[in-house]
Amino acid sequence: MSVDRITRVRIAGALAMPLVAFGIQRGLWPTTQNFTCLLFYPAIFLSSWLGGFFAGLTSTVVSVAMVWFFFMPPEGNMNPAHMVSLGVFVGMSVLVTTLHDRLRAATQHAAETSAQIHRLREEWATIVAHDLQQPINAIALRAGLLLRGGSKEQFTADVEEIRTSAKRLGRMVDDLCDASLLEVQRMRLVTERLDLVALARATVHRLPGAEGRAIVRSCAGQIWAFADSVRIEQIITNLVCNAMKYGDQDAPISIAIEQSEAEAHVSITNSGQRIPQSAIPHLFERYARTPAAEASGIKGSGLGLYIAKGLVEAHHGRIWVESSDSATTFHFTLPISARSLATGASEMRASAETARHAERHTGSSHA
Amino acid sequence: MLQNIAILVAEDDPEQLRTVAEAFERLGAVVTRAESGGELVEHVAEKGPFDLIVTDISMSWLTGLQAMQAARNAGIATPTIIMTGLKDATIPAAVQRLGRNVVLLRKPFDVADLEGAAERLLTES
C-alpha cells in the first residue's frame, strides 16, 4: 500500500471515530444518559492520534454537533452542568489534539535526526576512508623513504613533503570539525565590533598567493560589523581561495565592502567561466563540486562553500552567488551591531519555525 | 631494486603522484606520470610499453579501474598495482577481473609494500 493511500485511510479512520462513538453511545444511551460526551473522549483521542491535528479538530467539531443535537436535552431542559460538560469536552479535545500534534512533531524530528546522524556517519566513513588517506599515505611513504636514507636534498624534500601533508591533514580535520559543528548548530561565535576593511586586508596579506592579486575596495575607510573575526577571516579565505582556484589564472580578484543601514555587505568577484545555472542551487551543499571543478583536477574537499554559508548564517547573515559569462561574485552580509545580530537571530528563528511548521503540515498531508 | 624498470604512475592527487613517483625513482625505476585516467590510457598508447602500471582508483572522468579495463581490452597485459583508500567491498572483485597479474594495495602503505608488490609482479611476469 502506498504512503498516500495509508495516509488517506488513517484520515478516513480518524474522521469516522465520532460516528463510531455516536453509534455506540446511541446503543448504550438508556444506561449512560448522565454522560453526554462519554464515548466522544476516546473518539477524539483516537482521531487525533490517527489523523493528526486537523482531523482531531474536525472530529471535535463533528462530535460537539452530534452531542448537541442528539444527546443534549432540549433547550428548555438544559442545565448549567450540561454546558460545563460540553465546555470541558471541547477543552480536553483541543488539548489532546494539540498534544498529539506535538508528540507527532517530536517523533518526526527524532526520526529525521536519527537519519541525519546515519547519513553523517556514512559520509565520515567515506571521507576517512578516502580523502584523509591521501595525506596519511604521503606521510607514510615519505617516512619510509627517510628511513632508507639518501642525499641531503632528498632528506629536505621528504621532510618538506611530510610537513605539507601534515598541514593538509590538519586543514581537512578542521574543515570536517567545522562542518559537523555547523550541521548540529553547535558553532560558538566570539562576536565583537570589528572593522571589516582592515580584517579583509589582513586576511589577504596572510593568504599565500593572494596579496597583489586580491584587492580590497571600500568607499569608506572603515566598515564595522558585529562578528567573530576568526570566522569572518575563514569565510573570506574560503571565498578568495575559491576565486583563485576556479577563476581565470592570475586575473585580479576584487573584495568590495559596503555598508547599508542594517548590514555590512562583502562581495568577492573573479573573472572566469560562468557557473552553470543548474549547479548554483547545490553550490553550498556538503561535498558539492561542480562538474567543471571536478574536471579541472583542482583538489577540493567540497566543504569550503558549505562552511562559508554555515558561518555566515551563524552570524544571521545571508550568502549568495551571481555568475555571468565573464565573472562570478560571491556576496555575503553581516550584522553591523549587536542589536542587528539579535534582530537577525529572531527573524531567522521565526522563518525557520514557519518553514518547519509548513513542512510539517505539508508532510502530514502528503506523507 | 627496480633498476631501469619502466613504470607508469597514474594518480590525480598531485601530492600522491609526486610521492609514489619519487619512491619508484629512488628505487632506480624510470617513471612516467599521468594525472588522470585519460592520461593513463594516452601514455599507454603513446609512451609504452611499460614494465609496470601503478594507478589510483578514484580519479575523475575515468577511474583507474576503467582506464585499466580499457587497456586490457586493447590487449595491454602489463602487470598492474591498483592503489586505493576506498573501502568499497566490490573493489577486490573488480581488480580480479583485470587478470592475475594485478595487486591491490590499500592506502596507507609503506615504500616496502610498494617495492614488494612491484618486485613480485615483475618476477612473476
Side-chain angles (χ1 to χ4, degrees), chain A residues 129-130 133-138 140-142 144-146 148-149 154-155 157-158 161 164-165 168 294-295 297 299, chain B residues 11-16 18-20 22-23 26-27 56 58 60 85-87 107-112 114-115:
Chain A
H130 184 256
Q133 293 284 17
Q134 303 287 31
I136 292 172
N137 197 47
L141 278 172
R142 290 287 172 181
L145 289 173
L146 272 177
R148 285 171 179 241
Q154 285 176 342
F155 175 85
D158 289 340
E161 289 283 351
T164 308
S165 298
R168 182 178 167 196
E294 278 294 337
K299 284 283 151 191
Chain B
E11 166 67 86
D12 68 344
D13 184 306
E15 194 179 30
Q16 289 292 306
R18 206 166 47 237
T19 306
V20 174
E22 278 186 37
R26 289 197 208 170
L27 294 168
D56 185 36
S58 177
S60 55
L86 299 169
K87 298 279 188 273
K107 295 176 186 176
F109 51 78
D110 192 7
V111 183
L114 201 59
E115 187 182 19

Side-chain angles (χ1 to χ4, degrees), chain A residues 189 191-194 196 223-228 232 259-265 311-318 332-345:
Chain A
L189 300 178
T191 49
E192 59 183 327
R193 191 166 178 262
L194 54 89
L196 273 179
I223 289 186
W224 298 98
F226 197 78
D228 182 324
I232 302 306
Q259 187 181 327
S260 70
E261 261 181 41
E263 57 191 16
H265 179 178
L311 290 175
V312 168
E313 288 179 350
H315 284 86
H316 310 295
R318 295 168 290 123
F332 68 92
T333 63
L334 291 171
I336 54 171
S337 65
R339 199 174 158 190
S340 59
L341 179 67
T343 312

Side-chain angles (χ1 to χ4, degrees), chain A residues 116-304:
Chain A
Q116 199 177 36
I117 288 169
H118 181 70
R119 184 172 58 79
L120 276 175
R121 200 183 295 146
E122 283 189 346
E123 282 176 2
W124 266 92
T126 310
I127 290 161
V128 171
H130 184 256
D131 293 9
L132 296 183
Q133 293 284 17
Q134 303 287 31
I136 292 172
N137 197 47
I139 291 169
L141 278 172
R142 290 287 172 181
L145 289 173
L146 272 177
L147 281 174
R148 285 171 179 241
S151 67
K152 197 180 168 200
E153 289 74 28
Q154 285 176 342
F155 175 85
T156 311
D158 289 340
V159 171
E160 195 53 50
E161 289 283 351
I162 287 174
R163 199 169 70 157
T164 308
S165 298
K167 276 187 186 171
R168 182 178 167 196
L169 193 57
R171 276 197 306 275
M172 290 166 86
V173 171
D174 282 349
D175 278 359
L176 285 167
C177 289
D178 285 348
S180 298
L181 285 174
L182 290 165
E183 186 82 17
V184 293
Q185 298 178 351
R186 289 281 183 277
M187 177 65 74
R188 284 195 180 174
L189 300 178
V190 184
T191 49
E192 59 183 327
R193 191 166 178 262
L194 54 89
D195 176 12
L196 273 179
V197 179
L199 181 63
R201 288 201 173 118
T203 304
V204 169
H205 178 67
R206 279 192 281 267
L207 190 60
E211 199 157 33
R213 189 173 168 195
I215 314 292
V216 179
R217 300 168 202 279
S218 168
C219 48
Q222 292 173 314
I223 289 186
W224 298 98
F226 197 78
D228 182 324
S229 60
V230 174
R231 296 306 185 179
I232 302 306
E233 176 162 350
Q234 193 178 354
I235 297 166
I236 295 174
T237 300
N238 282 6
L239 295 178
V240 172
C241 280
N242 229 42
M244 290 199 293
K245 280 200 282 188
Y246 303 112
D248 284 341
Q249 213 176 359
D250 300 328
I253 295 160
S254 154
I255 305 174
I257 306 174
E258 297 162 358
Q259 187 181 327
S260 70
E261 261 181 41
E263 57 191 16
H265 179 178
V266 182
S267 42
I268 296 171
T269 305
N270 65 271
S271 58
Q273 277 188 339
R274 173 193 279 275
I275 300 172
Q277 197 60 36
S278 58
I280 285 180
H282 307 291
L283 219 51
F284 296 100
E285 289 173 4
R286 285 168 78 95
Y287 312 117
R289 298 202 75 209
T290 61
E294 278 294 337
S296 70
I298 297 168
K299 284 283 151 191
S301 64
L303 286 173

